[in-house]
Amino acid sequence: MFSTNLISNYAICFCMYFAMLRIIQLNRSNQLVDEKGVFAQNPGNLLGLQIAGILWLGMVPLIWATPIAGLIMGDKNNGKIFNFSVFAIAFVLFYIGTVQAKRQAIVSQSNTGFTKLFYIRYFMLRIPFLVSYELFFRGLLLFLLAEKVGIAIAIVADMLLNSALHFFSIKRIIWACLPFSVLCCLFNYQAQAVWPSIVFHLVISFSFELTIVKKLFNPIQTSS
């Protein structure tokens, strides 16, 4: 399925995205809202980061990959119990994301770049970004490393790489990404496809961020 030289190619893609993430983090624009409830200083940089992720984690790596449809959906019949488990976990993640967002402090930002049009663009880019993210880490890299060194080491590598990227995020996200990485890797490896982790990541990200935006535009609401 993969050749050995893909490791160096994927390493370049990771480093390019990591470098972009670091540059934008220095401008405090790598996440929609930080642990203090402060929004990104430059919303344009935040959009640029999503585009960089789509490019370096999605478009470029997929040049060397199998057809994208087969990578996402796979060709394995996972059965009703597996599918039910995925959507049951997705429901739990939705609840967790919503509750965490309601507890998140919000500092009303005055930057005129945070308009409704910005949020439309942000969430439109967010979908292909998260799909690209999962295709890269819990698809291409996971299956490559599992084939070369075994699934256990592949999962550890995924945990370390994801922790490195989330080092610039809210601290609780750094810790949460460890069990989340294990969950995504196990389900994807069982399915031999990436759709389970795509579902997980889209659900928890959108439940958190959309609730944050709703609180911003409805400041009367409390966190209770």
Side-chain angles (χ1 to χ4, degrees), residues 32 43-44 47 109 111-126 213 216-217:
L32 184 62
L47 296 180
Q109 36 69 29
N111 191 317
T112 56
F114 286 95
T115 62
K116 289 186 178 181
L117 179 59
F118 162 78
Y119 287 113
I120 291 173
R121 291 172 175 170
Y122 175 78
F123 286 111
M124 287 180 64
L125 287 172
R126 194 71 172 149
V213 174
L216 180 65
F217 285 99

Side-chain angles (χ1 to χ4, degrees), residues 30-48:
N30 63 301
Q31 52 191 339
L32 184 62
V33 59
D34 65 17
E35 65 274 11
K36 297 179 180 179
V38 178
F39 282 73
Q41 290 190 357
N42 190 322
N45 285 347
L46 193 58
L47 296 180

Side-chain angles (χ1 to χ4, degrees), residues 8-218:
S8 59
N9 293 339
Y10 293 156
I12 293 173
C13 291
F14 176 85
C15 291
M16 292 298 295
Y17 177 72
F18 185 88
M20 179 65 71
L21 177 64
R22 178 55 178 166
I23 292 172
I24 292 179
Q25 183 269 335
L26 291 174
N27 294 319
R28 299 181 181 178
S29 300
N30 63 301
Q31 52 191 339
L32 184 62
V33 59
D34 65 17
E35 65 274 11
K36 297 179 180 179
V38 178
F39 282 73
Q41 290 190 357
N42 190 322
N45 285 347
L46 193 58
L47 296 180
L49 183 61
Q50 309 299 308
I51 295 173
I54 295 169
L55 175 64
W56 290 108
L57 302 180
M59 296 175 65
V60 174
L62 286 172
I63 293 174
W64 308 296
T66 55
I68 186 171
L71 187 62
I72 292 177
M73 300 306 300
D75 57 4
K76 182 179 179 181
N77 183 9
N78 298 293
K80 294 181 179 179
I81 295 178
F82 179 88
N83 295 336
F84 175 80
S85 299
V86 170
F87 290 103
I89 292 173
F91 179 81
V92 174
L93 293 173
F94 175 84
Y95 175 79
I96 292 173
T98 302
V99 170
Q100 289 299 320
K102 290 181 178 179
R103 293 176 178 174
Q104 172 72 53
I106 295 295
V107 177
S108 295
Q109 36 69 29
S110 59
N111 191 317
T112 56
F114 286 95
T115 62
K116 289 186 178 181
L117 179 59
F118 162 78
Y119 287 113
I120 291 173
R121 291 172 175 170
Y122 175 78
F123 286 111
M124 287 180 64
L125 287 172
R126 194 71 172 149
I127 295 174
F129 167 75
L130 292 176
V131 171
S132 298
Y133 189 99
E134 292 303 324
L135 280 171
F136 183 79
F137 287 104
R138 280 95 186 214
L140 299 175
L141 273 180
L142 176 69
F143 297 144
L144 170 62
L145 292 176
E147 178 182 308
K148 299 298 181 182
V149 296
I151 185 59
I153 297 178
I155 292 176
V156 171
D158 182 83
M159 292 170 62
L160 294 175
L161 291 173
N162 277 275
S163 296
L165 290 183
H166 287 87
F167 184 77
F168 308 124
S169 300
I170 299 173
K171 295 299 183 291
R172 65 172 177 267
I173 295 181
I174 300 175
W175 293 107
C177 75
L178 298 178
F180 185 74
S181 293
V182 175
L183 177 73
C184 289
C185 289
L186 290 177
F187 270 82
N188 282 10
Y189 189 72
Q190 174 63 32
Q192 286 297 293
V194 191
W195 71 264
S197 67
I198 291 176
V199 171
F200 294 156
H201 211 155
L202 286 173
V203 167
I204 195 165
S205 178
F206 273 67
S207 62
F208 180 81
E209 293 180 330
L210 284 175
T211 303
I212 290 291
V213 174
K214 182 180 178 181
K215 286 177 64 177
L216 180 65
F217 285 99
N218 297 276

